[in-house]
Every structure is written in C-alpha cells, then in structure tokens.
Amino acid sequence: MECQVTFVEATAMPARTVLVTGGAGYVGSHAVVQLLSQGHEVVVVDNLVNAPRGNDAASPLTECLRRVQEIAGKTLNFHQMDIMDRSQLDRVFACYSFDYVMHFAALKAVGESVEKPLLYYKNNVGGSITLLEAMKDHNVKKLIYSSSATVYGTPQKLPLTEDHPTGVNCTNPYGKSKYFVEEILKDLVTSDKEWRAVSLRYFNPVGAHESGLIGEDPQGVPSNLMPYIAQVAVGRRPRLQVFGDDYDTPDGTGVRDYIHIQDLAVGHLAAARKLLDPCFQGFRAYNLGTGSGLSVLQLVQAFEKASGRQVPYEVVGRRPGDIAYCYSSASLAKRELGWQAQKGVDEMCESVWRWQSKNPNGYRSS
Ligand code: UFG
C-alpha cells in the first residue's frame, strides 16, 4: 500500500455506508475502489453525462463501475440519476442509512463553462444545493466536497496554502462554481453545528489505477495535458500543442502540481476519517497536491520514457487564462490528515500508459 499511515488507520475505521455522487467519473471511480477495498458500503449516483455506459447496454452498471467491482472484489449499488432531481435523491436517501456523502458530481470543462455559464452554475451550484437540502432533510450532515485549486485564482504567493484568498481572480464559471459551493458550505456549518464539511482542493490529478482497468476517459478532444499526451502516444492524435514556451519558468512552459489519482483517492479516505472524528467541527479545506511542480516539457519527457513512444509536439501561442506556475503546499493535509502523496511522475506516466495502451479507446473498446 502506498501510504502506510493512511492504510493502517483506515483499516481500523468501522465500515460505513457512503453515498458517492459522480462515482462513475474519473476521480470518483478511483475513490470508490478505495472505499470498497476498505470494506465500506458504497452507493453511487451518477447521471452519466460524462461517463460512457460501455458496450453492454443491458448491464445495470457502466463499464467503469463493472471494472471498479472487479478490482475491489466487492459489489456496489448504482443508481443512474441526476442530483438535480430532488425526488430521485429522496428515494435513494430513503433506501439507505448514509454515514456521509462524497460529492464529485459536477461538470468540469473550463472552456465549456465560459460558453455555458448557466449550465455550469445549474449543475455545480444548483446540484450541490439540491443535494445539501436532501442531506439536511434526511439528517445526513457530513460531506466531503470535491473542490479544486482553481478556487485560488491567479496565485498571489507560491506555494499555495489553504489560507490564500479564494474567489479573487477566479476567471471562469467552473472555478467560480467550486468557490461558490465552498462559501455555501461555510455558511451552512455556521447555521447548524451538526453540519461538517471537508473540501478537498485538487491540483492536477493524473494517472490511472495500477491494474490498468480504470483511468481517465475524456469525451471528445481532451482539454487537459496528460490525456492529450496519452492519446498522442497511442496514435489517436498526431501531435501535442504546447500552449506557450515563453513563460517565466525554467523551460518556458507552464508548471503544475500533478498528483497521482491513487494518492488523491487515498486522500479522500484520510479526509473521511477527519470528518468522522468526533472532535472535528465546521468546515475545513485541504490541498491535495504533491507540493512540487513539473513543466509541460518535463511531463512529455517522462511520458516518453515510461511509454517508450515518441510524443511529437509543436509550440503554439499561450492558452487564454493560463498561468506560469501553480503548485501546492501539501503540509496542512500531512499535519491534520496524516496524508501525503507517495507516487512520483514515473508512476503517474507508467500507469497512464498501462491504461491507455490496454484501452486505446477508453471504456468503449472493451
Ligand atoms: N497544456 C498544453 N497543451 C494541452 C493542454 C495543456 O500545453 O493540450 C498545458 C497548459 O497550458 C498548462 C498545463 O499544460 O500549462 C496543464 O494544463 P491542464 O489543462 O492539464 O490543467 P490546468 O492546470 O490548466 O487546469 C487544471 C484542471 C482544472 C482545474 C485546475 C486547477 O483542468 O479543472 O487544474 O488549478 F481547475
């Protein structure tokens, strides 16, 4: 196991019943593997807008969730539904006795959010409010929230610590939606002392489960760097476009804090332990990052090494809204959650390559 501290404590935690919204997506599915592996009962709700059903349309599960069960050797409960549908949510809450909720369900394409702000606010903010109302009425007042480093906007100081201002210079509706929900959670825990919420601010999640069975499967042209590199390496796309090599960074390309999805998933279990600690109160946000940055070209080189394939690229102009540097301080999560990232860039790239080469068309190829 990659994080011994987390593992030892997690096994000591009694089994819980957990509602996971968006559990058929990239981050959610890896968290579900962790939850099942630790003996928890998992109920996934997902509307599948960004999660392909897979080839077996008759199966009640998506291909991703079928593989999640295969990896964990456990079964989960799945309800295809939208968190904006209050009556369906009520039915799910009435069927189970949840200890807490992990809330991943959201739209996440930054560019699309600029074109369709209302869609993003309706899903990400409206959906979260509907979920919170249902939780309140069913007396389930503990939440792990899937947030993003994007709430910090343009960094005023690096590394980014959790006390860095949020909401300032959040330039797109996706980022603002994450910020707004954090603010709603702060108000909620103030209004009622029974509420507890942990917000996890992800830096740049990459990688796949070590089995190569589950991984990131973006619909259409990937907008993020790692899945784009992987699709170039596997021959689905001719070359990567590097968005600018004139930043004030060592090689001129953008620097980000890439974190292995497995580390991120383990971080959710560490956060759940915090949430369930009787001493924990209110709202707390934690960065989930490694604490160090890699440039675009460093990631390309690491991927070429891991895959043994060339990743042709061309340098083009900067992408609007991009910044030179973004990386975390990971010390608060280490201190308060006993969690820190264990996996480096080689493992990130090796796992992506295993996933991509075994599944060149993602979940649809099986
Ligand atoms: N990049 C390229 N070519 C590409 C894609 C990206 O050169 O085809 C570069 C970007 O310019 C940037 C780096 O690769 O320097 C990383 O870009 P990503 O799109 O992978 O990630 P971002 O850091 O822009 O955004 C990510 C998530 C957001 C989240 C943000 C938090 O995609 O959802 O991190 O900081 F909000």
Side-chain angles (χ1 to χ4, degrees), residues 142-165:
K142 298 187 187 77
L143 180 82
I144 306 278
Y145 178 59
S146 169
S147 187
S148 166
T150 195
V151 300
Y152 296 120
T154 307
Q156 293 167 15
K157 191 167 157 280
L158 288 163
L160 283 157
T161 50
E162 287 81 351
D163 58 2
H164 183 283

Side-chain angles (χ1 to χ4, degrees), residues 108 110 148-150 174 202-204 223-226 228 240-243 254-256 258 296 319 322-323 326:
K108 62 169 190 174
V110 172
S148 166
T150 195
Y174 163 74
Y202 310 156
F203 280 69
N204 289 58
S223 52
N224 294 120
L225 180 62
M226 184 62 112
Y228 206 106
L240 171 73
Q241 293 194 321
V242 175
F243 299 143
V255 170
R256 297 291 182 275
Y258 297 95
V296 174
R319 184 170 64 178
D322 272 354
I323 48 179
C326 182

Side-chain angles (χ1 to χ4, degrees), residues 304-336:
E304 287 184 330
K305 186 173 132 215
S307 64
R309 297 280 180 102
Q310 289 266 298
V311 179
Y313 68 86
E314 60 176 336
V315 177
V316 298
R318 291 183 180 192
R319 184 170 64 178
D322 272 354
I323 48 179
Y325 282 101
C326 182
Y327 56 93
S328 67
S329 161
S331 55
L332 189 67
K334 183 177 179 189
R335 205 163 59 242
E336 295 193 2

Side-chain angles (χ1 to χ4, degrees), residues 26-27 30 203-209 215-216 224-227 229 256-264 290 294 299 303 343-345 347-349 351-352:
Y26 172 47
V27 181
H30 286 81
F203 280 69
N204 289 58
V206 296
H209 189 267
E216 189 170 12
N224 294 120
L225 180 62
M226 184 62 112
I229 290 177
R256 297 291 182 275
D257 184 345
Y258 297 95
I259 173 167
H260 198 299
I261 191 76
Q262 292 279 87
D263 280 329
L264 197 79
T290 63
L294 284 169
L299 199 63
F303 201 91
K343 294 178 186 288
V345 65
E347 282 166 290
M348 296 178 203
C349 294
S351 68
V352 173

Side-chain angles (χ1 to χ4, degrees), residues 101-316:
V101 176
M102 278 193 189
H103 177 31
F104 297 97
L107 298 174
K108 62 169 190 174
V110 172
E112 185 188 50
S113 80
V114 177
E115 288 158 28
K116 301 175 183 169
L118 295 179
L119 182 71
Y120 271 68
Y121 290 130
K122 188 170 156 193
N123 273 270
N124 295 6
V125 182
S128 297
I129 291 173
T130 305
L131 173 68
L132 292 166
E133 285 174 339
M135 288 174 67
K136 176 169 173 281
D137 289 351
H138 294 270
N139 206 27
V140 180
K141 296 181 177 175
K142 298 187 187 77
L143 180 82
I144 306 278
Y145 178 59
S146 169
S147 187
S148 166
T150 195
V151 300
Y152 296 120
T154 307
Q156 293 167 15
K157 191 167 157 280
L158 288 163
L160 283 157
T161 50
E162 287 81 351
D163 58 2
H164 183 283
T166 56
V168 187
N169 297 324
C170 265
T171 52
N172 59 75
Y174 163 74
K176 285 183 200 166
S177 75
K178 292 285 166 188
Y179 164 71
F180 290 154
V181 173
E182 284 200 356
E183 294 301 298
I184 290 167
L185 292 174
K186 289 177 195 170
D187 290 339
L188 191 57
V189 302
T190 305
S191 72
D192 174 352
K193 299 295 173 215
E194 288 179 8
W195 274 100
R196 305 174 193 184
V198 173
S199 185
L200 298 176
R201 296 175 179 161
Y202 310 156
F203 280 69
N204 289 58
V206 296
H209 189 267
E210 66 224 0
S211 63
L213 285 172
I214 61 170
E216 189 170 12
D217 183 17
Q219 313 286 290
V221 182
S223 52
N224 294 120
L225 180 62
M226 184 62 112
Y228 206 106
I229 290 177
Q231 291 192 6
V232 171
V234 85
R236 269 173 76 178
R237 303 191 186 276
R239 73 188 65 78
L240 171 73
Q241 293 194 321
V242 175
F243 299 143
D245 66 352
D246 55 352
Y247 287 104
D248 186 16
T249 61
D251 64 20
T253 65
V255 170
R256 297 291 182 275
D257 184 345
Y258 297 95
I259 173 167
H260 198 299
I261 191 76
Q262 292 279 87
D263 280 329
L264 197 79
V266 172
H268 286 71
L269 269 80
R273 272 203 318 283
K274 182 69 162 180
L275 186 76
L276 297 168
D277 180 338
C279 299
F280 178 75
Q281 288 182 326
F283 171 93
R284 198 98 173 114
Y286 295 97
N287 289 340
L288 293 186
T290 63
S292 59
L294 284 169
S295 74
V296 174
L297 294 183
Q298 282 175 317
L299 199 63
V300 168
Q301 278 158 16
F303 201 91
E304 287 184 330
K305 186 173 132 215
S307 64
R309 297 280 180 102
Q310 289 266 298
V311 179
Y313 68 86
E314 60 176 336
V315 177
V316 298

